[in-house]
């Protein structure tokens, strides 16, 4: 019986003062969640919470049950601290106030 194909993928995570790039090999049909769990990343960095963090492949948000393809880069995104729209509104209001 033929052995399942193996895929090379990369897992990326960044936080203040930390950047993790981990190259791993997974079986064909593996999902994003299975790859992250199998990589040992969550044991090494227990602050990563997959229930709060979104994940993606090459900048496109995906679900944890998304199957992987060869050479995918899995990215784990931290939750936003501030809403970008609110931050921009505050900057514009501050700038308008300063010019008056």
């Amino acid at each position: 019986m033929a052995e399942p194909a193996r895929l090379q993928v990369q897992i990326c995570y960044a936080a203040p003062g930390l950047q993790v790039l981990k190259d791993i090999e997974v079986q064909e049909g593996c999902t994003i969640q299975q790859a992250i769990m199998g990589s040992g990343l969550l044991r090494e960095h227990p602050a990563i919470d997959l229930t709060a963090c979104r994940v993606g492949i090459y900048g496109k948000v995906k679900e944890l049950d998304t199957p992987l393809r060869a050479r995918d880069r899995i990215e784990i995104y931290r939750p936003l601290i501030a809403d970008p729209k609110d931050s921009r509104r505050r900057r514009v209001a501050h700038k308008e106030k300063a010019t008056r």
Side-chain angles (χ1 to χ4, degrees), residues 9 19 86-87 100:
V9 297
Q19 181 179 0
D86 288 339
S87 297
R100 290 183 189 175

Side-chain angles (χ1 to χ4, degrees), residues 7-93:
L7 308 174
Q8 295 291 324
V9 297
Q10 185 176 59
I11 300 177
C12 305
Y13 178 74
L18 173 69
Q19 181 179 0
V20 178
L21 295 171
K22 198 168 213 176
D23 294 313
I24 63 169
E25 189 175 280
V26 298
Q27 287 188 358
E28 187 174 27
C30 183
T31 65
I32 291 174
Q33 184 172 13
Q34 291 169 335
I36 293 170
M37 301 298 277
S39 72
L41 183 67
L42 300 180
R43 282 189 306 276
E44 296 167 12
H45 304 284
I48 300 173
D49 180 7
L50 288 182
T51 60
C53 297
R54 298 178 81 181
V55 296
I57 296 177
Y58 289 112
K60 296 190 190 264
V61 176
K62 303 287 184 179
E63 297 296 324
L64 287 170
D65 61 354
T66 302
L68 295 171
R69 297 185 297 187
R71 295 180 298 281
D72 275 346
R73 183 180 68 215
I74 302 166
E75 300 161 344
I76 302 172
Y77 310 119
R78 293 178 290 126
L80 293 176
I81 295 171
D83 181 4
K85 289 181 183 180
D86 288 339
S87 297
R88 185 175 190 303
R89 285 185 195 110
R90 281 195 301 273
R91 285 193 309 273
V92 168

